[in-house]
Amino acid sequence: MTASKTARARARAELTSEIKAAARRQVAGSGAQQLSLRAVARELGMVSSALYRYFPSRDDLLTALIIDAYDALGEGAEQAAAALPRADIRGRWRACCAAARAWALAHPHEYALIYGSPVPGYQAPQETIPPAGRVARVLGGLLADAWAAGPAALAADAAAAGPLQPPLGEQAAALAAAIAPGVPGPTVVRALIAFTQLFGMISFELFGQLVGSADPADSFFTYAVDQLADFVGLPPASPSPH
């Protein structure tokens, strides 16, 4: 690549980053529904036709913001879980959950963009699916490690509930194949319940639904995360070194 092409690529990347930053400010100020390419261009001192060369439509810009948000959330969860020993499955679960909550509290408008109300008229394209699944894949890896380390504990409670009826059985098998190969469907469904409860708790806290009951929510969140780990069947936390 020539120096001129490298410089153009760098300039394009920098301007793309500036456009997305301006769009995030607009989303924070007036909501995703009001995102406007013309307003973003005006803030940056650009003509609209120039901005369209980077993002041909509002939906393209919205998709870029959504992918960035999912990637940032997923990266935080991945790094938090990876910082602990692989054998410390419950510790990794706690760290992943805490990282997801911390990112949401630090980036409430971006969290709302991916877990809040849908934007009317916007249909998320296929390219949002892989980044949207990053946290789930972290939790799936924990589940697979727990199953490999001691399947009896994971299987006991889930098996007591009986076989999964269609179409849930087929859905669980597909989910297991995608994020936790080898883990039985009932256990995967329990993990999916825990996953939805995790983001339900985060949403309740972020959108003020815990005011008057569990606010501040630190103790509630910590307790609930361990209860969810018990529900899934994750092994106890590794003992702290002395």
Side-chain angles (χ1 to χ4, degrees), residues 18-111:
E18 290 178 15
I19 292 169
K20 290 192 291 186
R24 289 189 192 97
R25 289 191 292 271
Q26 189 178 125
V27 168
S30 54
Q33 296 182 26
Q34 303 302 318
L35 181 62
S36 161
L37 289 180
R38 290 183 179 276
V40 170
R42 189 163 52 246
E43 178 181 337
L44 296 176
M46 299 172 60
V47 295
S48 299
S49 58
L51 192 147
Y52 290 137
R53 291 199 292 269
Y54 292 81
F55 296 99
S57 71
R58 181 214 65 165
D59 285 4
D60 290 312
L61 179 52
L62 195 55
T63 294
L65 299 184
I66 288 170
I67 289 174
D68 282 356
Y70 276 130
D71 277 336
L73 171 62
E75 183 177 1
E78 290 163 359
Q79 291 180 350
L84 295 173
R86 185 169 182 176
D88 188 5
I89 293 169
R90 185 170 294 229
R92 288 160 59 202
W93 159 258
R94 289 170 174 167
C96 177
C97 294
R101 176 183 180 235
W103 183 85
L105 294 178
H107 304 88
H109 301 291
E110 292 172 64
Y111 179 89

Side-chain angles (χ1 to χ4, degrees), residues 101-240:
R101 176 183 180 235
W103 183 85
L105 294 178
H107 304 88
H109 301 291
E110 292 172 64
Y111 179 89
L113 187 62
I114 55 178
Y115 286 111
S117 300
V119 178
Y122 173 77
Q123 183 68 41
Q126 288 292 112
E127 60 259 38
T128 62
I129 294 176
R134 288 179 69 167
V135 176
R137 287 193 292 273
V138 173
L139 300 182
L142 299 179
L143 198 64
D145 287 346
W147 182 258
L154 277 174
D157 287 342
L164 300 174
Q165 300 301 312
L168 182 57
E170 291 77 6
Q171 293 168 339
L175 184 58
I179 67 169
V183 178
T187 301
V188 172
V189 170
R190 286 197 168 216
L192 180 59
I193 293 170
F195 180 82
T196 59
Q197 290 294 309
L198 167 64
F199 283 98
M201 288 191 300
I202 292 173
S203 295
F204 257 53
E205 179 180 10
L206 198 62
F207 301 141
Q209 300 301 318
L210 294 180
V211 173
S213 57
D215 180 41
D218 301 57
S219 297
F220 168 72
F221 187 85
T222 300
Y223 178 83
V225 162
D226 266 341
Q227 291 295 306
L228 291 173
D230 291 341
F231 174 73
V232 174
L234 299 183
S238 300
S240 300

